[in-house]
Amino acid sequence: VSHACDNDVMGLFDDLRMASGLGLEPAEAYKRAYEKGVLLGPTHFAVAGDLFQTAAQQLQAVNGAMAYRAMANAHVYRYLARRDPQSGTLAAQTLAQVQWIEVPGTVDEIMEGPKLGAEIHARLLEDQARHASVGGQGAADLFRRAAQAWVPLLTWRPVTFELLPEDVYTEDGTARFFLNAGNAAWHDAQARAADDPDIGAEYYALAAQAFGRCGANDLRAQARERLKAVRLERPCWFCGRAVRGFGDNLRVLSAGASDYFVKLAHADRERGEALEQESRGIYACSVCAGAVDRIAEARAQAVRAEVTAMGARLTAAVTALESRVGHLEGFRRLG
Amino acid sequence: VTSPVECPTCGGPARDLPADPRQAVKCRWCGTAFERSTAEETLKRLHGEIRDWLRKTAGVEGAASTSSIDVATRTFLFNERILPGLRRDVRRALDEHIGDVDGAPILTPALLSYLPGFTREDALLVSKREQILGLRSLRARLEAEEVAAFATTSADRLALETLRADIDRTIIASNASYALASGIALGAELARTNLAALDGSTSAVAEVADPAAATVTRAFAVRSKALIATIDAVRVTPPDQAALDGAAARLEETAQWLLTADTRDLRGALTSTGIQRDATAARVIASIAQAIRGTTIGVVAMLDTLAPLASYLAHCTRGKDAPWVVFAWAQALAALSTGAGIPAVADTSWVNAAVGAACGNGERPARVDVVLEPFWVYSARMTKAEGFFFVSGKQYDGVVLVPAATSHEGTLLVPREHPMASHIDRALAAPSRPGLPVDSAQVGPEAGRLCARGTLRARGLKNVVLGEGQLVYFPVAFAVIVSGTGQRTISMSPLGPVPADAASAVGRAEALTRAAIGLGRGLATVSA
């Protein structure tokens, strides 16, 4: 009974030490980072980061290699908790020097440190590219760099996405490569399609295929739709130039063409292509359509000016009439 | 009789034509039967069209009048009128009307027709066959003497050759794909002829026109050779497993190599998609060969048996999952028709007790069907919080089971120390002959993994890390329980109730059994 009681007391004492972190050996401090941080799940990863840092300080004096590993874990879990570039960069740099490290989220599964570092580096570049795509500056190059960062990990199943499932298409490095390559191509296409529809079309085709390869079917459908539009080449109804790129360089103007024009279009295939048969509108290049817009705008402005002047004249006349009516009312009241 | 006559369908050169213009011959490229007289009439019509086009484009009446035009004028007309028009027509025909043929698979067995990357929209070489054959008139224009007379410099001639090579490559690839889509055994010879041509004929032109195209050209050569190897390996029984695995691996490596060789090169990346799709198809075929190893079934017979069941692949949204799902079908079919083993937990002694326990007052089982249902099994590592005052995290090992048949709901978690974990290990180590009807898998290990992770997280488990998925069959009892007020259906597994659609599962198992009987009958006929 006395022995069992001693064990209970020791167990309680150990629990207290583990709970408070006071009086722990360096190896126990490392273990505590798992029990009070990592193993409690992603919501405790920030705590785990701090606990690993404490363990690293204690390990420094007794085991330099383990201290370095603890520091790498501190950066990894801080990055997973905060997703900030600073922790991510430190994690990637430290992991490059650590030969083996625990698989994030587990105590006893081991993986190559540089591989985890490469994964975190790739994710950092992805984060950067995503921020840039919101701002619209240099996103294509950043996505391309992110895609390149996944090339050494093409057959690798990323381990950090398993813990924080905020992203999709994460089954392997190939899926990540294609998601980023698709995004790069999409941004390139958007930037180039107006100036060079052929290049724009190639980029949209690439984006569609890249999105298809990673299983992003919605994105693929969007890219295909844009590809179809950019590849469309029709003669302009006004100037007759063959123009490519619906949306950027080519528009359909409402025209209400009669059956006679549809017949003409069938008879002369080349020029007839300027008629959009479904809506009976006409294709116009952006220059001609722009000129039509400007003529229409000028005419609209002239009409607006005429209407405004007319409105002013009418308002003045109404005011004068109201004034006269007021006077007449006054005379009537005076009797 | 040697003749410059071309097939009126695909434009492939015809040789050794019979002297009798009415005698039908078969095109060695597309397999269409035609008479010499028809081919000559088609050529005549095409030449008429070319003369009309030339008159409209350059204002000349044919070869005779072209020779009277001086070289400078011819060069001017070629570069200002003829070549831009041809380029526009070729690009429009290929890009606008057909699509990204380089991203399309050549190997398109009917079995894959429901899989992303192999649907009608993706399999352009087959679905756009009519438009592709329509390229013939453009090709005739590009090689017409009347047009060539305007190409006075080597650069001009190369420009024509490059356009022609693009069209040739598309037609040849379509011929191969179309032949294979009708069945590997039926279309093997035609496909081989076209793939061999694809390997060599267009590469020289492509490389001269653009040295950067050499990477893509080399990849095309590997693709053609790997596809020929696949075709050859499945035509023998037993199939040449090493050749099939090798061909699939070569295609996968080539697709990856194209990506990493120069990821800025669009053509490389675009072409890699078509090759990757061929790699998936080749991997599916290799997985069938793997599943039927040790049996007398041939890959072609298994492909034919599986093709009508292709719609079940619609649930398989990941290309990576397809070889696994097809492997599962082929394995189940082989087991049912030849008695080969599958990894199954065979014990059904619990069924009576479980169904009896499920019956309430006044209820009785009216019908019980026991079917071997497929489950994806993953070894799992997870953590959870323990303790009240002294909360700390603990790590657990277990086995996760995800239904692979109809839906991937109903994830089951078995602790490592549970006896069922040992049963699973035994089933995987020693496959056994199925004594029950077998249902077919419809979702792959990747889809199952996503489901398992989601379910375990929803149960409050953290840091879930799953191993590789393996398919194991468990007996599931579908019982119709009747009472005075009506009836209800329950689905029970050795681990308790599982969500499953009894009618669908039993129906699919019956379909698989029928297919297995048909396959077995075919085998009996072959052996007789």
Side-chain angles (χ1 to χ4, degrees):
Chain A
V1 172
S2 160
H3 188 68
C5 193
D6 282 352
N7 276 349
D8 282 352
V9 170
M10 284 304 289
L12 186 68
F13 183 64
D14 284 344
D15 284 346
L16 275 169
R17 283 171 63 233
M18 285 305 265
S20 65
L22 296 171
L24 293 177
E25 294 293 318
E28 287 176 320
Y30 193 80
K31 190 180 161 201
R32 182 167 183 260
Y34 276 104
E35 291 190 0
K36 303 295 177 193
V38 177
L39 299 183
L40 290 172
T43 50
H44 287 68
F45 282 177
V47 177
D50 293 340
L51 294 175
F52 274 120
Q53 184 158 5
T54 310
Q57 284 160 1
Q58 285 184 251
L59 282 161
Q60 192 69 54
V62 289
N63 187 338
M66 273 307 283
Y68 207 76
R69 187 151 136 183
M71 207 56 230
N73 266 326
H75 294 314
V76 167
Y77 285 102
R78 274 184 192 143
Y79 170 68
L80 291 175
R82 300 178 197 152
R83 297 293 303 276
D84 63 319
Q86 201 187 349
S87 309
T89 310
L90 284 169
Q93 282 170 358
T94 322
L95 285 165
Q97 311 297 323
V98 178
Q99 197 182 358
W100 299 104
I101 195 155
E102 295 85 353
V103 174
T106 71
V107 186
D108 49 2
E109 261 187 72
I110 297 292
M111 65 178 290
E112 292 167 58
K115 203 160 230 180
L116 181 58
E119 182 179 323
I120 289 176
H121 172 66
R123 291 197 64 176
L124 278 172
L125 291 173
E126 282 183 355
D127 291 342
Q128 263 182 27
R130 262 198 292 266
H131 287 307
S133 73
V134 176
Q137 286 296 311
D141 277 337
L142 285 168
F143 274 118
R144 205 171 286 115
R145 279 182 61 201
Q148 286 287 355
W150 285 104
V151 167
L153 304 168
L154 286 177
T155 54
W156 170 251
R157 185 190 291 283
V159 290
T160 54
F161 291 106
E162 301 242 337
L163 298 168
L164 303 168
E166 77 265 38
D167 213 335
V168 282
Y169 322 121
T170 59
E171 59 193 48
D172 54 24
T174 308
R176 299 310 296 174
F177 171 85
F178 278 111
L179 181 66
N180 287 296
N183 277 320
W186 174 268
H187 282 90
D188 272 331
Q190 283 190 318
R192 305 281 302 273
D195 292 339
D196 191 337
D198 289 340
I199 292 285
E202 284 205 359
Y203 278 120
Y204 276 125
L206 180 63
Q209 296 206 0
F211 288 139
R213 289 280 290 274
C214 69
N217 293 330
D218 290 352
L219 295 173
R220 180 174 71 155
Q222 279 179 36
R224 276 186 171 173
E225 202 167 299
R226 287 297 303 139
L227 172 65
K228 205 172 154 192
V230 169
R231 271 187 180 156
L232 191 82
E233 185 187 72
R234 291 292 178 268
C236 170
W237 180 271
F238 300 104
C239 67
R241 284 186 179 84
V243 176
R244 177 170 281 203
F246 187 74
D248 291 317
N249 303 322
L250 196 63
R251 280 162 50 188
V252 170
L253 302 183
S254 171
S258 64
D259 288 345
Y260 173 68
F261 282 95
V262 176
K263 261 189 227 163
L264 280 183
H266 282 300
D268 182 349
R269 193 182 72 88
E270 295 234 339
R271 277 189 291 184
E273 282 189 329
L275 185 74
E276 207 285 302
Q277 308 243 349
E278 205 171 294
S279 67
R280 303 265 176 120
I282 53 170
Y283 284 103
C285 70
S286 55
V287 176
C288 290
V292 170
D293 283 349
R294 279 185 199 97
I295 292 168
E297 180 58 30
R299 179 72 191 126
Q301 268 183 8
V303 170
R304 266 198 296 270
E306 277 175 32
V307 170
T308 310
M310 196 182 285
R313 282 200 301 277
L314 287 173
T315 310
V318 169
T319 312
L321 277 172
E322 279 175 349
S323 168
R324 282 187 65 189
V325 169
H327 280 114
L328 289 171
E329 283 282 323
F331 286 136
R332 192 175 63 81
R333 273 201 295 274
L334 285 171
Chain B
V1 178
T2 312
S3 162
V5 170
E6 294 173 348
C7 165
T9 304
C10 72
R15 63 180 187 200
D16 303 333
L17 283 175
D20 179 4
R22 289 274 165 213
Q23 193 179 331
V25 285
K26 197 173 165 188
C27 171
R28 61 191 282 262
W29 303 99
C30 69
T32 314
F34 67 94
E35 292 165 6
R36 185 196 187 100
S37 57
T38 319
E40 283 168 350
E41 277 165 28
T42 308
L43 266 184
K44 212 167 147 187
R45 181 178 53 77
L46 284 174
H47 275 120
E49 286 174 12
I50 291 165
R51 276 196 297 276
D52 287 349
W53 176 79
L54 215 48
R55 195 184 315 118
K56 270 191 198 165
T57 310
V60 290
E61 282 293 339
S65 61
T66 310
S67 57
S68 61
I69 305 172
D70 63 279
V71 174
T73 310
R74 268 188 276 161
T75 307
F76 174 80
L77 282 173
F78 182 79
N79 285 300
E80 294 299 317
R81 309 292 298 271
I82 296 172
L83 187 59
L86 284 170
R87 269 206 185 115
R88 185 201 60 200
D89 289 349
V90 170
R91 295 285 28 122
R92 186 178 289 185
L94 287 175
D95 299 341
E96 219 177 282
H97 298 156
I98 298 170
D100 297 311
V101 285
D102 285 350
I106 291 178
L107 192 50
T108 51
L111 177 60
L112 297 181
S113 57
Y114 284 86
L115 198 71
F118 290 87
T119 55
R120 221 181 130 68
E121 198 184 22
D122 305 296
L124 300 172
L125 293 170
V126 178
S127 64
K128 295 282 178 81
R129 178 77 175 151
E130 208 173 301
Q131 287 93 323
I132 290 171
L133 291 177
L135 293 171
R136 220 214 125 181
S137 57
L138 259 179
R139 185 178 174 276
R141 214 185 282 173
L142 289 163
E143 60 187 9
E145 274 176 32
E146 293 93 326
V147 174
F150 283 87
T152 52
T153 67
S154 58
D156 293 347
R157 284 190 290 276
L158 187 60
L160 284 180
E161 273 291 281
T162 308
L163 289 175
R164 195 173 68 86
D166 279 353
I167 290 182
D168 273 350
R169 195 153 52 87
T170 306
I171 296 177
I172 293 171
S174 173
N175 283 346
S177 190
Y178 198 71
L180 290 171
S182 62
I184 289 184
L186 280 174
E189 280 311 322
L190 282 177
R192 275 187 115 269
T193 308
N194 283 287
L195 287 169
L198 203 58
D199 183 2
S201 68
T202 59
S203 56
V205 175
E207 282 192 38
V208 173
D210 179 4
T215 313
V216 176
T217 307
R218 278 204 298 277
F220 266 120
V222 177
R223 181 190 201 182
S224 303
K225 286 192 183 87
L227 290 177
I228 290 173
T230 303
I231 294 167
D232 291 344
V234 299
R235 291 167 78 193
V236 291
T237 305
D240 186 342
Q241 184 72 52
L244 282 171
D245 286 337
R250 268 204 306 286
L251 288 165
E252 281 159 358
E253 281 161 16
T254 308
Q256 197 160 311
W257 167 68
L258 264 180
L259 284 178
T260 50
D262 182 2
T263 46
R264 281 176 184 268
D265 184 3
L266 293 180
R267 277 167 309 178
L270 290 172
T271 311
S272 82
T273 301
I275 298 177
Q276 180 59 47
R277 285 172 175 161
D278 279 337
T280 301
R283 194 52 82 190
V284 164
I285 291 171
S287 76
I288 291 177
Q290 177 74 26
I292 58 177
R293 203 162 55 164
T295 70
T296 50
I297 307 169
V299 172
V300 173
M302 185 57 89
L303 270 169
D304 290 345
T305 310
L306 288 172
L309 305 169
S311 61
Y312 292 131
L313 262 190
H315 296 272
C316 188
T317 52
R318 288 172 162 72
K320 221 175 159 183
D321 276 349
W324 291 100
V325 175
V326 174
F327 173 82
W329 289 356
Q331 191 187 43
L333 270 172
L336 289 168
S337 58
T338 67
I342 56 171
V345 173
D347 178 26
T348 53
S349 57
W350 52 273
V351 171
N352 283 343
V355 172
C359 293
N361 273 347
E363 287 186 327
R364 63 181 173 79
R367 176 191 168 129
V368 180
D369 291 293
V370 185
V371 174
L372 283 176
E373 285 286 312
F375 283 73
W376 287 108
V377 173
Y378 308 85
S379 64
R381 222 152 232 212
M382 63 223 99
T383 67
K384 66 176 180 181
E386 281 194 350
F388 188 69
F389 289 114
F390 303 111
V391 179
S392 60
K394 291 273 182 288
Q395 183 172 287
Y396 292 92
D397 286 350
V399 179
V400 176
L401 279 67
V402 183
T406 44
S407 76
H408 34 267
E409 288 168 8
T411 299
L412 300 167
L413 176 59
V414 180
R416 234 309 124 223
E417 56 279 8
H418 192 282
M420 183 53 75
S422 317
H423 289 320
I424 293 169
D425 289 343
R426 269 200 298 279
L428 284 166
S432 56
R433 185 181 182 156
L436 294 165
V438 183
D439 193 2
S440 53
Q442 288 181 76
V443 296
E446 288 302 322
R449 170 187 296 278
L450 279 181
C451 167
R453 263 176 25 196
T455 311
L456 295 179
R457 270 200 203 101
R459 288 185 197 167
L461 295 163
K462 316 281 187 200
N463 303 353
V464 178
V465 177
L466 301 172
E468 291 304 316
Q470 288 173 295
L471 198 71
V472 177
Y473 293 83
F474 289 85
V476 171
F478 299 101
V480 180
I481 295 175
V482 292
S483 65
T485 53
Q487 67 174 47
R488 63 191 177 97
T489 309
I490 57 161
S491 318
M492 304 289 289
S493 77
L495 292 162
V498 284
D501 178 0
S504 305
V506 174
R508 272 194 311 274
E510 282 170 358
L512 211 62
T513 306
R514 276 197 300 275
I517 291 168
L519 185 63
R521 204 178 291 136
L523 293 175
T525 314
V526 169
S527 59

